Amino acid sequence: MLMEATQAPTKNKSVYQPNQEGLIFPKEPVFASVEEERRHRKERLAAACRVFDKHGFSFGFGGHLTVRDPEHPDLFWTNPMAVPWSLVKTSMLVLVDHKGKVVEGDYAINQAGYVLHSAIHEHNPDIIASCHAHTVHGGAWAAFGRPLSPVTQDACMFYGDHAVLGDGAGKVPVAQESGHPVARAFETNKAIIHQNHGLLVASRHSIDDACWHFIALDHCCRMQLMMEAVKEHRPKEIDPKFAGYSREHLGNEFIGWLHFQTLFAEISHKQPDLFD
């Protein structure tokens, strides 16, 4: 399942793409049918679950990933309840509607996860995928109720594109209405730091992009916490125009998708049972 050799696109989407033709470089997929696209999204969703495990995001049954069905946009695929990230297979994924009814699949779903993700997808029909997990560094930084500072190039991926949400802070979202503030926050952001809760990321491109940017956001939270621990000095913030430039070129959806191809190549090679 490794990325096949392709020619570089005629028009580059980023500075990372080769200008020379004929070199091996990841190319965004083109599908011959909706069934092919569905299979692709499901495989990438299962792979994203395995990648979350590899990054230490497991926390009991906490956490949930979703991707919209390409044929039925009012339905989305999600990971099965109480199955470890490390054991999720494509065949285990569950298709669910906005009301929480399982349309296809044998497993139950995480109802609290459904509340947030259903609201995100229903309120933002252009969002393809979303991710949430109970991570150590993301949860710790969320307790501060502060946005990331533009103090590293990596943090600039989220410059002007993430928000801190205090609504329902620390409360388990068991009522459908509790997902709405999160959904509204995603109208103009790709990432949310939910105060006293953790991180949520959404993508209008792919589950690949959502997964990568969630990993990147948790990575940035870890760096921010480390910098906060140094009391003698404060990190220097990047000039807003440079931070904005980095956001445009390093934090866009194509770059998120491109980063994930590295993770997908490794996990699909080492854990091919995820495609079962």
Side-chain angles (χ1 to χ4, degrees), residues 1-2 29 31 35-51 65-70 77-78 85 88-94 206-208 211 260-261 263-265 267-269 271-276:
M1 293 292 178
L2 292 176
F31 305 102
E35 291 79 14
E36 184 180 329
E37 184 174 6
R38 177 181 295 114
R39 179 69 186 182
H40 176 86
R41 290 190 182 187
K42 292 175 66 178
E43 289 180 349
R44 295 305 170 108
L45 178 60
C49 291
R50 299 290 184 99
V51 169
L65 283 68
T66 58
V67 66
R68 194 181 294 274
D69 186 82
W77 295 93
T78 189
W85 298 121
V88 172
K89 299 180 179 182
T90 304
S91 60
M92 294 178 176
L93 299 178
V94 181
S206 60
I207 184 63
D208 308 47
C211 178
F260 184 80
Q261 304 319 300
L263 306 178
F264 181 77
I267 207 73
S268 61
H269 177 71
Q271 302 180 30
D273 67 303
L274 74 88
F275 300 108
D276 292 348

Side-chain angles (χ1 to χ4, degrees), residues 35-213:
E35 291 79 14
E36 184 180 329
E37 184 174 6
R38 177 181 295 114
R39 179 69 186 182
H40 176 86
R41 290 190 182 187
K42 292 175 66 178
E43 289 180 349
R44 295 305 170 108
L45 178 60
C49 291
R50 299 290 184 99
V51 169
F52 265 35
D53 172 71
K54 186 175 182 293
H55 281 78
F57 294 164
S58 297
F59 189 71
F61 61 77
H64 18 83
L65 283 68
T66 58
V67 66
R68 194 181 294 274
D69 186 82
E71 182 178 12
H72 306 287
D74 56 335
L75 305 177
F76 56 88
W77 295 93
T78 189
N79 56 293
M81 174 68 173
V83 175
W85 298 121
S86 61
L87 299 180
V88 172
K89 299 180 179 182
T90 304
S91 60
M92 294 178 176
L93 299 178
V94 181
L95 185 64
V96 63
D97 65 15
H98 291 303
K99 296 181 180 180
K101 179 183 177 181
V102 173
V103 178
E104 183 178 331
D106 299 321
Y107 289 84
I109 63 168
N110 183 325
Q111 287 297 323
Y114 148 73
V115 169
L116 291 174
H117 286 256
S118 173
I120 291 170
H121 285 285
E122 186 171 17
H123 188 76
N124 302 280
D126 57 336
I127 285 180
I128 300 297
S130 57
C131 299
H132 169 62
H134 291 251
T135 68
V136 174
H137 302 105
W141 180 250
F144 286 94
R146 290 163 48 195
L148 290 172
S149 301
V151 291
T152 67
Q153 191 177 77
D154 290 343
C156 288
M157 286 190 285
F158 301 95
Y159 182 73
D161 204 12
H162 77 290
V164 175
L165 183 65
D167 293 34
K171 179 182 177 182
V172 176
V174 293
Q176 186 173 357
E177 299 75 32
S178 62
H180 294 172
V182 175
R184 289 194 295 271
F186 273 115
E187 290 177 359
T188 54
N189 297 283
K190 72 177 175 210
I192 302 298
I193 297 175
H194 198 195
Q195 184 179 320
N196 305 109
H197 181 196
L199 312 177
L200 297 101
V201 171
S203 173
R204 291 165 170 82
H205 181 277
S206 60
I207 184 63
D208 308 47
D209 171 54
C211 178
W212 165 255
H213 273 108

Side-chain angles (χ1 to χ4, degrees), residues 221-255:
C221 287
R222 181 183 181 186
M223 288 195 292
Q224 186 85 48
L225 288 166
M226 294 173 71
M227 288 182 282
E228 291 287 321
V230 181
K231 302 298 183 182
E232 295 80 7
H233 303 282
R234 303 303 302 164
K236 299 182 183 297
E237 292 198 357
I238 296 172
D239 185 288
K241 65 180 180 181
F242 295 138
Y245 181 88
S246 293
R247 157 65 188 91
E248 180 183 354
H249 291 280
L250 299 178
N252 63 64
E253 295 172 334
F254 174 73
I255 294 299

